[in-house]
Amino acid sequence: MVDVSAKDVTVRTASAAGLVRCSGAVVDALRGDGVPKGDALAVARLAGIQAAKRTPDLVPLAHPVAVHAVEVDAVVVDEGVELTATVRTADRTGVEMEALTCVAVAGLALVDMVKALDREAVITDVRVTAKTGGRSGSWTRG
Amino acid sequence: MVDVSAKDVTVRTASAAGLVRCSGAVVDALRGDGVPKGDALAVARLAGIQAAKRTPDLVPLAHPVAVHAVEVDAVVVDEGVELTATVRTADRTGVEMEALTCVAVAGLALVDMVKALDREAVITDVRVTAKTGGRSGSWTRG
Amino acid sequence: MVDVSAKDVTVRTASAAGLVRCSGAVVDALRGDGVPKGDALAVARLAGIQAAKRTPDLVPLAHPVAVHAVEVDAVVVDEGVELTATVRTADRTGVEMEALTCVAVAGLALVDMVKALDREAVITDVRVTAKTGGRSGSWTRG
Amino acid sequence: MVDVSAKDVTVRTASAAGLVRCSGAVVDALRGDGVPKGDALAVARLAGIQAAKRTPDLVPLAHPVAVHAVEVDAVVVDEGVELTATVRTADRTGVEMEALTCVAVAGLALVDMVKALDREAVITDVRVTAKTGGRSGSWTRG
Amino acid sequence: MVDVSAKDVTVRTASAAGLVRCSGAVVDALRGDGVPKGDALAVARLAGIQAAKRTPDLVPLAHPVAVHAVEVDAVVVDEGVELTATVRTADRTGVEMEALTCVAVAGLALVDMVKALDREAVITDVRVTAKTGGRSGSWTRG
Amino acid sequence: MVDVSAKDVTVRTASAAGLVRCSGAVVDALRGDGVPKGDALAVARLAGIQAAKRTPDLVPLAHPVAVHAVEVDAVVVDEGVELTATVRTADRTGVEMEALTCVAVAGLALVDMVKALDREAVITDVRVTAKTGGRSGSWTRG
């Protein structure tokens, strides 16, 4: 693990996004009465928040970071569910991995909720979209 | 959580795959001397195996399953790293979520290893590719 | 830890219940537009399910048990929120601790959701209400 | 999760209390030679301390907090065991949930230790009793 | 991870032992009024039991095993504290790693309890001492 | 848990070491083509890093510490594998337990990797070798 003990405690944020591509039947269910297993979008959001907090447990060389805020959205679109997350901290290193982990695990939870209806659901395009703070400053994906 | 207590203990497998798309510079490094942070492929494989065992901790409505075998591969291709996983159990429910979690978290760990070289790496096409066992029998993605 | 390796694998269930007593203002909010922090009842239910799976991590001398089903309910009543849980397994020991842990942690999560409105919320009457299976057979709280 | 990154790092404490109500036979055992399963009060105290550290893992929207001190007491009284806990931190948000989690999980561990003697033990009156520090200052339950 | 899904569910045990070597002052304290931080032997035993249950989380390629019994002893001897553990399961693979993990983590917890008195405490001779069950049958260290 | 909330945030380091003693056949394998189960030294190093981050989960009275750097080495010597670790933090308490936990769990993982070749492998001499920072300043084992 890279040594971050000499870095400053500053406010840092990172945003990530991804898509769970699923069948029209699932999209219709999510826009209508929901899927039989429960509130898929709520479960995905909570799973993402909890996973953000567990990032250093999942990613072997990630530093423990004091996660100070997590926002997750799960929006039903025609091809599936768009997931976005923003994580914020006042700590010595960035939270890109926390934002990515949030989206990836929200995606896993969502697939679990819909897999009885669509065993072909795909988690795709999980990527960092923006960051602020830290030595390298702000960055937005082109 | 769906009740699986009355299902039979039988051997079940699931396979999943995904791609971490990254820059040519990262691909070259992985094919050459490796990335500065360490052995990226080894870290990704181990992270995937450990995550497979933690699936019920990450996916809120997933059942605890006795994971009896996990194989993970990480193969460098021109567009990045292809990840594949097969999970096997003798238990009462399937291991599709374990296989997907293995690939997704291996992808997160890989991004963490290469992000100093390529902040635009993307985890994509994470999907179940095949399963065997259980009431619904064998299935291979078309 | 008591040795359970010689006990039979049989279907066992346990139910537990408890109450989060909270202010009239919270009850009104939960019956109306909800609390500002989010869907308190959904968060409580999910936290309970996840905690049931983590019982052996929380309760030092509890055995790992294959949790095969968890049902949690959170019902708003005049004095607060009634929580009930039923856990089911086919394993060598009972799931009373899993059902109690589910209710207790659902209660903790609920308090967290409403504490900005009512810092005096109380988790109370957390108790096993019934069990079936195992050597001691069925039992219902008198 | 509410954003706390702009809050000050200050010393904050929270205290919580609760009661495990159990049978006279259990109270007698705890006051005498102990229960067969082991040192019930010691197990409860340790389980509480460890749970305080795991609060953000158990309570979905709780922030990770640097737990700097935990004190737990378990006192045998005529109606059962009174549990009290005080948690202290120098961090950006309060530790009420940590203190409550400590008491609730100490209660679960205690029930586990005595349940062979009394399957009707109840965890009750788990509540925050006092706090200091933070924007809202000191508060003691009336 | 090696595939164990085709192995039989049979009763298997493993025993391990180790020594925490510490100063005469610590030995005297443990034989007398104890160390200031608390009941060192009780904390070590509980930490060992809990660690045995978490073996697959700590040891990357270890299989999840249904831990059905753990016994730990911590005996004060002239040179320190002797730790022994026996783990028992009815499952498809052995519990040697669980027994070793139990002893090693009990040792870590013990060092933590005494380190204010003796910063030179050493965990040593952590080894499997015997096993029964499984294809390779019984074995006792020579 | 001892109260550390009033201690200063300063840079602190701790180093630990230990030895996994194993057979000549294992030493030859590690110096040659490796052991059948995989890259034993890489697995041990990663397990150690991850365990360092989980120290407060394993050691009941250890404080959560912001682990800012971990270095682990695993060097094959004639009698087995020498493990060393250095942990660094900028926090309110020392990281001796993190360094020891890193070495002890790296040792467990290593034993798991070689146990098919040598069931008599021993984890030994796990000890703190040096520390810097904090009120008691620098110290090196004599």
Side-chain angles (χ1 to χ4, degrees):
Chain A
M1 278 169 69
V2 178
D3 183 2
V4 300
S5 61
K7 295 173 80 173
D8 288 331
V9 172
T10 58
V11 173
R12 299 152 192 267
T13 69
S15 299
L19 174 73
V20 174
R21 191 179 298 129
C22 48
S23 69
V26 168
V27 169
D28 288 350
L30 293 174
R31 283 175 167 159
D33 293 340
V35 296
K37 200 168 178 173
D39 184 344
L41 304 184
V43 171
R45 280 192 306 258
L46 272 182
I49 289 171
Q50 293 184 282
K53 295 190 275 185
R54 262 179 234 155
T55 302
D57 233 32
L58 293 174
V59 177
L61 301 193
H63 295 89
V65 173
V67 171
H68 286 136
V70 183
E71 276 168 70
V72 201
D73 268 307
V75 175
V76 183
V77 295
D78 288 354
E79 7 160 26
V81 179
E82 275 184 1
L83 299 164
T84 52
T86 297
V87 178
R88 176 183 293 260
T89 190
D91 207 329
R92 295 176 205 273
T93 188
V95 283
E96 289 93 330
M97 289 313 305
E98 281 70 14
L100 276 180
T101 300
C102 182
V103 168
V105 176
L108 289 168
L110 192 62
V111 170
D112 181 56
M113 296 304 288
V114 307
K115 71 180 196 293
L117 298 184
D118 178 11
R119 56 167 46 155
E120 307 214 357
V122 179
I123 304 168
T124 199
D125 290 318
V126 178
R127 64 204 186 276
V128 178
T129 53
K131 67 174 281 286
T132 68
R135 210 175 32 198
S136 65
S138 293
W139 171 79
T140 304
R141 198 181 191 88
Chain B
M1 279 170 66
V2 177
D3 184 2
V4 301
S5 61
K7 295 173 79 173
D8 288 332
V9 173
T10 58
V11 173
R12 299 154 192 263
T13 70
S15 299
L19 174 73
V20 174
R21 191 179 299 132
C22 46
S23 68
V26 168
V27 169
D28 288 350
L30 294 174
R31 283 175 167 159
D33 292 340
V35 297
K37 200 167 177 174
D39 184 345
L41 304 184
V43 171
R45 281 192 305 260
L46 273 182
I49 290 170
Q50 292 183 283
K53 293 191 276 186
R54 263 179 234 154
T55 301
D57 234 31
L58 293 174
V59 178
L61 301 192
H63 295 88
V65 173
V67 170
H68 286 134
V70 183
E71 275 168 68
V72 201
D73 268 307
V75 175
V76 183
V77 295
D78 288 353
E79 10 161 22
V81 180
E82 275 184 3
L83 300 163
T84 52
T86 297
V87 178
R88 177 183 292 262
T89 190
D91 207 327
R92 296 176 204 274
T93 187
V95 282
E96 289 93 330
M97 288 314 304
E98 281 70 15
L100 276 180
T101 300
C102 183
V103 168
V105 175
L108 289 168
L110 191 63
V111 170
D112 181 55
M113 296 303 288
V114 307
K115 71 179 196 292
L117 297 184
D118 179 11
R119 56 170 42 157
E120 306 214 359
V122 179
I123 305 167
T124 199
D125 289 320
V126 178
R127 64 205 186 276
V128 178
T129 54
K131 67 173 284 284
T132 68
R135 209 175 35 198
S136 65
S138 293
W139 172 80
T140 304
R141 196 177 192 91
Chain C
M1 278 170 67
V2 178
D3 184 3
V4 300
S5 61
K7 295 173 79 173
D8 288 332
V9 172
T10 58
V11 173
R12 299 154 192 264
T13 70
S15 299
L19 175 72
V20 174
R21 191 180 299 130
C22 47
S23 68
V26 168
V27 169
D28 288 349
L30 293 174
R31 283 175 167 158
D33 293 339
V35 296
K37 199 167 177 174
D39 184 344
L41 304 183
V43 171
R45 281 192 306 259
L46 273 182
I49 289 170
Q50 292 183 284
K53 293 190 276 186
R54 263 178 234 156
T55 302
D57 234 32
L58 293 174
V59 178
L61 301 192
H63 295 87
V65 173
V67 170
H68 286 134
V70 183
E71 275 168 70
V72 202
D73 267 307
V75 175
V76 183
V77 295
D78 288 353
E79 9 161 23
V81 179
E82 276 184 2
L83 299 163
T84 52
T86 297
V87 178
R88 176 183 292 260
T89 190
D91 207 326
R92 295 177 205 273
T93 187
V95 282
E96 290 92 330
M97 288 313 305
E98 280 70 14
L100 276 180
T101 299
C102 182
V103 168
V105 176
L108 289 168
L110 192 62
V111 170
D112 181 55
M113 296 303 288
V114 307
K115 72 179 195 292
L117 297 183
D118 179 11
R119 57 168 43 155
E120 307 214 359
V122 178
I123 305 168
T124 200
D125 290 319
V126 178
R127 64 205 185 276
V128 177
T129 53
K131 66 174 284 285
T132 68
R135 207 175 37 197
S136 66
S138 293
W139 172 80
T140 304
R141 196 177 191 91
Chain D
M1 278 168 68
V2 177
D3 184 1
V4 300
S5 61
K7 294 173 80 174
D8 288 331
V9 173
T10 58
V11 173
R12 298 152 193 267
T13 69
S15 299
L19 175 73
V20 174
R21 192 180 297 130
C22 48
S23 68
V26 168
V27 169
D28 288 349
L30 293 174
R31 284 175 166 159
D33 293 340
V35 297
K37 199 167 178 173
D39 184 344
L41 303 184
V43 171
R45 280 192 306 257
L46 273 182
I49 289 170
Q50 293 184 282
K53 295 190 275 186
R54 262 179 235 153
T55 302
D57 233 32
L58 293 173
V59 177
L61 301 193
H63 295 89
V65 173
V67 170
H68 285 136
V70 183
E71 276 167 68
V72 202
D73 267 307
V75 175
V76 182
V77 295
D78 288 355
E79 6 160 27
V81 179
E82 274 184 2
L83 300 164
T84 52
T86 297
V87 178
R88 177 184 291 260
T89 191
D91 208 328
R92 295 177 205 273
T93 187
V95 283
E96 289 93 329
M97 289 313 305
E98 280 71 15
L100 276 180
T101 300
C102 182
V103 168
V105 175
L108 289 167
L110 192 63
V111 170
D112 181 55
M113 296 304 288
V114 307
K115 72 181 196 291
L117 298 183
D118 179 11
R119 55 167 46 154
E120 307 213 359
V122 179
I123 304 167
T124 198
D125 290 319
V126 178
R127 65 204 185 276
V128 178
T129 53
K131 69 174 281 286
T132 68
R135 210 176 33 199
S136 66
S138 292
W139 172 79
T140 303
R141 198 179 190 90
Chain E
M1 278 169 67
V2 178
D3 184 2
V4 300
S5 61
K7 295 173 79 173
D8 288 331
V9 173
T10 59
V11 174
R12 298 153 193 263
T13 70
S15 299
L19 174 73
V20 174
R21 191 180 299 131
C22 47
S23 68
V26 168
V27 169
D28 288 350
L30 294 174
R31 283 175 167 158
D33 292 340
V35 296
K37 199 166 178 175
D39 183 345
L41 304 183
V43 171
R45 281 192 304 260
L46 273 182
I49 289 170
Q50 292 183 283
K53 294 190 276 186
R54 263 178 234 154
T55 301
D57 234 32
L58 293 174
V59 178
L61 301 192
H63 295 87
V65 173
V67 170
H68 285 134
V70 183
E71 276 169 68
V72 201
D73 267 308
V75 175
V76 183
V77 295
D78 288 354
E79 9 161 22
V81 179
E82 276 184 2
L83 299 164
T84 52
T86 297
V87 178
R88 176 184 293 261
T89 190
D91 207 327
R92 295 178 204 272
T93 186
V95 282
E96 290 93 330
M97 288 313 305
E98 280 71 14
L100 276 180
T101 299
C102 182
V103 168
V105 175
L108 289 168
L110 192 62
V111 171
D112 181 55
M113 296 304 287
V114 308
K115 71 178 196 292
L117 298 183
D118 178 13
R119 56 168 45 156
E120 306 213 359
V122 179
I123 305 168
T124 200
D125 290 319
V126 177
R127 64 205 186 274
V128 177
T129 52
K131 67 173 283 285
T132 69
R135 209 175 35 197
S136 66
S138 293
W139 172 80
T140 304
R141 196 178 192 89
Chain F
M1 277 168 69
V2 177
D3 183 3
V4 299
S5 62
K7 294 173 80 174
D8 288 331
V9 172
T10 58
V11 173
R12 298 152 192 266
T13 70
S15 299
L19 175 72
V20 174
R21 192 179 297 131
C22 48
S23 68
V26 167
V27 169
D28 288 350
L30 294 174
R31 284 175 166 160
D33 293 340
V35 296
K37 200 167 178 174
D39 184 345
L41 304 184
V43 171
R45 279 192 306 258
L46 273 182
I49 289 170
Q50 292 184 282
K53 295 190 276 187
R54 264 179 233 154
T55 302
D57 232 33
L58 293 174
V59 177
L61 301 193
H63 296 88
V65 173
V67 171
H68 285 137
V70 183
E71 276 168 68
V72 202
D73 268 307
V75 175
V76 182
V77 294
D78 287 354
E79 11 162 22
V81 179
E82 275 185 2
L83 299 164
T84 52
T86 296
V87 178
R88 177 183 292 261
T89 190
D91 208 328
R92 295 175 205 273
T93 188
V95 283
E96 289 93 329
M97 290 313 305
E98 280 71 14
L100 276 180
T101 301
C102 183
V103 168
V105 176
L108 290 167
L110 192 62
V111 170
D112 181 55
M113 296 303 288
V114 308
K115 71 180 197 292
L117 298 183
D118 179 11
R119 57 169 44 156
E120 306 213 0
V122 179
I123 303 168
T124 198
D125 290 318
V126 178
R127 64 204 186 277
V128 177
T129 53
K131 68 174 281 285
T132 68
R135 210 176 33 198
S136 65
S138 293
W139 172 80
T140 304
R141 197 179 191 89

